[in-house]
């Protein structure tokens, strides 16, 4: 499954990204400048919010990671830009993931090690707290999506799912259906709710299928472009994985060093045994096969 990033802003803007393609419209000027800068090599994550607010994490052509933002809540920026005594960022920048609720009044953000949130719907907050014991996660969040009017979706690493999606009926029915399937919720890889437009969402499955509904007309073409790119990227990744597996399987298996040492010891003992039995007899035995050669001959048996 290829990496993806979907986000909708309040001013009719969006940013979609797969491994091979970006698609965006009506972005804030500062953000557009950053994305098109010659210094920008890779976008780790992008989140759009109320008015011209945004978060961008990116890597420059020298391999340095950066955080850029605008108009975000103070509590969120304090988390993002926290530094140690040497002035270095505490956050694992490439791992930062942010979802913003309507008007930036709520958020959920993490960098895979540290998590903070603010003003979450009560049912979502309860579900998160139930998965923390003694200050540690017992089942980490995998997907957190915040939608209009306190609608939300939570999917955990152990594929538990909790949601209130009264204004996103299609994705709610899809999730109910997924629970009846063999892989169930595990097949749901990404969900983004539009926090300013009822029934609008994009959702991605494990096989690269992108589903969307009620996307604004001026953004519908962008969905189709990224849909084709994701399918292409997913197929290419699957092909590479299969080729890699075939290469691994084609390499002859060799015993480890412990096996080889055992063979040398056993063969040495066998030679001593032959010599002992041959005393007083006219017996000639000549072998030029090394322990490594024997190991190769019996690699299947030892494997």
């Amino acid at each position: 499954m290829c990496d993806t990033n979907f986000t909708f802003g309040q001013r009719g803007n969006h940013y979609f990204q797969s491994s091979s393609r970006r698609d965006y419209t009506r972005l804030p000027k500062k953000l557009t400048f950053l994305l098109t800068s010659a210094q920008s090599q890779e976008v780790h994550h992008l989140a759009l919010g109320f008015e011209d607010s945004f978060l961008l994490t990116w890597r420059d052509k020298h391999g340095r990671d950066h955080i850029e933002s605008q108009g975000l809540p103070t509590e969120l920026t304090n988390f993002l830009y926290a530094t140690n005594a040497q002035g270095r960022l505490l956050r694992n920048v490439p791992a930062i993931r942010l979802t913003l609720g309507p008007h930036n009044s709520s958020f959920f953000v993490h960098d895979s090690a540290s998590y903070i949130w603010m003003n979450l719907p009560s049912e979502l907050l309860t579900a998160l707290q139930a998965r923390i014991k003694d200050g540690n996660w017992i089942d980490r969040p995998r997907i957190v999506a915040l939608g209009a009017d306190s609608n939300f979706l939570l999917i955990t690493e152990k594929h538990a799912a909790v949601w209130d999606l009264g204004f996103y009926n299609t994705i709610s029915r899809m999730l109910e259906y997924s629970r009846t399937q063999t892989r169930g919720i595990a097949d749901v890889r990404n969900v983004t709710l539009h926090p300013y437009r009822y029934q609008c969402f994009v959702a991605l499955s494990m096989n690269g299928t992108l589903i969307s509904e009620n996307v604004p007309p001026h953004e519908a073409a962008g969905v189709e472009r990224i849909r084709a790119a994701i399918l292409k990227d997913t197929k290419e990744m699957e092909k590479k994985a299969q080729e890699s597996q075939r290469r691994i399987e084609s390499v002859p298996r060799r015993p480890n060093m412990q096996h080889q040492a055992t063979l040398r010891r056993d063969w040495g003992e066998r030679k001593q045994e032959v010599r002992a039995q041959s005393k007083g007899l006219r017996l000639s035995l000549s072998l030029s096969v090394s322990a490594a050669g024997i190991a190769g001959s019996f690699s299947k048996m030892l494997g």
Side-chain angles (χ1 to χ4, degrees):
M1 179 67 254
C2 65
D3 291 333
T4 56
N5 186 176
F6 310 117
T7 181
F8 294 99
Q10 180 258 337
R11 290 186 166 174
N13 48 9
H14 77 266
Y15 180 87
F16 304 149
Q17 178 175 292
S18 70
S19 302
S20 66
R21 186 181 182 93
R22 301 176 186 174
D23 192 281
Y24 53 84
T25 185
R26 301 182 183 179
L27 296 183
K29 290 182 179 179
K30 179 181 177 181
L31 181 53
T32 301
F33 173 79
L34 291 167
L35 290 174
T36 56
S37 167
Q39 292 296 314
S40 178
Q41 181 183 53
E42 178 183 358
V43 172
H44 298 308
H45 180 70
L46 195 155
L48 298 170
F50 183 61
E51 294 184 338
D52 285 335
S53 61
F54 69 85
L55 167 68
L56 172 67
T57 58
W58 59 286
R59 178 167 294 170
D60 65 27
K61 63 182 183 180
H62 303 292
R64 296 185 293 256
D65 293 318
H66 303 267
I67 302 174
E68 299 286 350
S69 65
Q70 178 174 282
L72 298 178
T74 301
E75 297 85 352
L76 176 54
T77 56
N78 288 344
F79 172 82
L80 293 170
Y81 293 99
T83 57
N84 60 18
Q86 290 73 41
R88 296 178 181 174
L89 288 172
L90 292 175
R91 303 281 76 86
N92 177 10
V93 176
I96 292 173
R97 296 294 180 268
L98 168 67
T99 179
L100 291 161
H103 307 99
N104 295 359
S105 60
S106 59
F107 66 79
F108 180 93
V109 63
H110 71 88
D111 68 348
S112 292
S114 300
Y115 294 70
I116 68 165
W117 51 80
M118 185 178 75
N119 295 338
L120 298 181
S122 58
E123 189 178 352
L124 173 56
L125 181 60
T126 299
L128 290 170
Q129 292 173 337
R131 288 162 174 81
I132 300 173
K133 184 177 181 180
D134 299 328
N136 296 306
W137 290 105
I138 56 177
D139 188 9
R140 291 175 183 265
R142 179 165 65 84
I143 297 173
V144 174
L146 299 174
D149 292 1
S150 297
N151 278 209
F152 73 88
L153 167 65
L154 165 67
I155 297 178
T156 71
E157 290 183 350
K158 296 180 181 178
H159 312 307
V162 181
W163 67 81
D164 179 356
L165 296 169
F167 294 111
Y168 303 86
N169 293 326
T170 299
I171 187 65
S172 181
R173 290 195 297 270
M174 287 170 53
L175 290 166
E176 289 288 1
Y177 176 76
S178 293
R179 281 177 165 170
T180 68
Q181 303 306 297
T182 303
R183 287 184 50 83
I185 298 297
D187 268 337
V188 182
R189 305 313 300 170
N190 198 345
V191 176
T192 298
L193 307 174
H194 197 314
Y196 304 96
R197 185 178 177 89
Y198 292 158
Q199 310 300 343
C200 179
F201 72 90
V202 290
L204 184 66
S205 68
M206 177 66 80
N207 65 6
T209 300
L210 184 70
I211 300 171
S212 63
E213 183 179 47
N214 200 32
V215 174
H218 72 279
E219 297 173 289
V223 171
E224 294 307 313
R225 286 190 290 266
I226 205 69
R227 188 196 312 277
I230 289 172
L231 285 173
K232 173 178 171 289
D233 294 341
T234 300
K235 289 179 180 178
E236 288 181 355
M237 289 189 68
E238 290 175 348
K239 183 179 178 181
K240 289 179 180 178
Q242 291 170 357
E243 291 174 349
S244 177
Q245 184 61 34
R246 282 196 294 268
R247 285 196 296 270
I248 293 172
E249 293 174 351
S250 66
V251 175
R253 298 181 64 182
R254 299 183 62 185
N256 58 27
M257 295 302 295
Q258 182 178 355
H259 283 152
Q260 292 190 22
T262 301
L263 281 167
R264 291 188 182 100
R265 183 177 65 253
D266 289 348
W267 182 243
E269 293 171 352
R270 178 58 57 85
K271 287 196 295 183
Q272 294 298 326
E273 179 184 344
V274 170
R275 288 169 183 162
Q277 291 176 351
S278 65
K279 286 183 178 179
L281 299 178
R282 297 183 64 182
L283 178 63
S284 176
L285 180 62
S286 176
L287 293 176
S288 61
V289 181
S290 66
I294 297 171
S297 301
F298 289 90
S299 61
K300 292 184 179 179
M301 292 174 60
L302 295 173

